[in-house]
Amino acid sequence: PRSILQWNVGSHRDISHESLSLFRLLEPRIEILVLGTGDRVERLHPATLMQMRECGIAVEVQDTANACATFNFLMNERRIVAAGLIPP
């Protein structure tokens, strides 16, 4: 079901295996996590991305404006998707 949850992340530096645990708990299990890192695309630690892939969740990192558009596109395709968005 559609939900809005508080994600306690202030910047891309706060994105970690622990902060992403929220997305691993969602039911139904998400296929794709779209992360919006603010005004620009920020690099995340490769181990963090690998841990999500090992859980069966693809991660797409974009600036927040494009992340919103990608999320809406994937929702329109009826994909099981979530977004973690940091305001620009």
Side-chain angles (χ1 to χ4, degrees):
R2 296 176 186 251
S3 300
I4 298 175
L5 305 171
Q6 175 70 32
W7 188 38
N8 195 16
V9 170
S11 81
H12 72 280
R13 291 178 197 88
D14 299 327
I15 298 174
S16 65
H17 183 68
E18 293 77 28
S19 69
L20 294 175
S21 65
L22 167 69
F23 299 103
R24 293 189 302 272
L25 298 173
L26 296 175
E27 289 293 332
R29 187 176 191 94
I30 63 171
E31 301 171 32
I32 304 168
L33 172 60
V34 182
L35 292 176
T37 57
D39 286 325
R40 61 186 191 163
V41 178
E42 300 288 353
R43 296 179 63 90
L44 301 183
H45 196 283
T48 301
L49 298 174
M50 180 62 73
Q51 290 167 333
M52 292 300 284
R53 280 189 221 109
E54 289 171 355
C55 293
I57 300 171
V59 178
E60 181 70 36
V61 181
Q62 302 177 343
D63 63 85
T64 299
N66 284 315
C68 289
T70 299
F71 174 79
N72 288 331
F73 177 80
L74 292 169
M75 285 291 294
N76 193 45
E77 287 191 334
R78 307 259 188 245
R79 303 292 297 271
I80 302 173
V81 61
L85 304 170
I86 299 170

